[in-house]
Amino acid sequence: MTATLSGHATNVVGVRQSDKGWIAAWWQREEDGRLRLNGVTIGHPSPNAAIASFTHVDELSLSDELNEEQEQLLDRLRDVAHGQVDTLADIELNLAHLGPFARRVVQRCRKIPAGETMTYGELAAACGSPNAARAVGNAMATNRFPLIVPCHRVVGSGGNLGGFSAPQGVELKRQLLRREGVEI
């Protein structure tokens, strides 16, 4: 059961199965009643594992309250995991948990096109801090919105993949990049 406020769930989560494991999206109801996307996860062996990956959220469980827009987002995420090109640029994200630099990193990362990569250092430079590759790595490691913020397209210098926080790790990152035509 989801937590409720004025008869409406404050935390709503939905799941979709993909060939890359279960995907989950988490929305939180704001005081104005609007649901805002707060997180996405990918690559889990079950719906419950996907939901449980939102460890920083209390009282979160599968909801039967998804509206058409939420259902469509889950379908789009599944389709992107399957290799369909969709920038997901129209999806509004709740970035309130991020500091100014991490926000810039997330916003710039969203602009990396499918089939292209950028190194941590290049992304740092594009955000105005060319010596902040490690900080970019930290921002990508804690990315709450994989696929929407395509952190899988951010790689290490010299051709190494860097990390990927999904349960399948770097192997899932490699598979997502291959589906986009990137060989590393």
Side-chain angles (χ1 to χ4, degrees), residues 37 69 73 76 87-93 110 145 148:
L37 185 63
E69 184 179 339
L73 174 60
R76 288 172 71 188
T87 65
L88 302 167
D90 60 308
I91 307 301
E92 184 181 341
L93 307 176
R110 289 187 82 178
F145 306 98
I148 299 172

Side-chain angles (χ1 to χ4, degrees), residues 4-77:
T4 59
L5 172 68
S6 303
H8 296 286
T10 56
N11 288 308
V12 176
V13 86
V15 296
R16 279 295 178 282
Q17 188 171 21
S18 79
D19 66 352
K20 300 296 176 217
W22 285 88
I23 298 169
W26 157 51
W27 294 266
Q28 186 173 38
R29 190 171 305 280
E30 301 291 323
E31 289 182 16
D32 65 2
R34 191 168 146 223
L35 284 168
R36 298 207 44 196
L37 185 63
N38 276 355
V40 169
T41 188
I42 181 173
H44 297 276
S46 70
N48 288 337
I51 294 166
S53 73
F54 296 119
T55 58
H56 55 285
V57 186
D58 294 329
E59 299 183 38
L60 191 61
S61 61
L62 190 60
S63 176
D64 57 2
E65 297 182 22
L66 299 182
N67 62 35
E68 184 177 339
E69 184 179 339
Q70 292 166 316
E71 294 284 358
Q72 287 175 354
L73 174 60
L74 288 166
D75 289 343
R76 288 172 71 188
L77 290 168

Side-chain angles (χ1 to χ4, degrees), residues 87 102-114 116 118 123 126-127 136 140 143 145 147-154:
T87 65
R103 244 186 233 134
R104 285 195 310 273
V105 169
V106 163
Q107 291 164 344
R108 179 56 185 93
C109 182
R110 289 187 82 178
K111 295 177 183 175
I112 303 171
E116 294 184 23
M118 191 175 243
L123 185 51
C127 293
V136 167
M140 296 294 91
N143 176 19
F145 306 98
L147 301 180
I148 299 172
V149 176
C151 56
H152 64 281
R153 296 179 188 147
V154 182

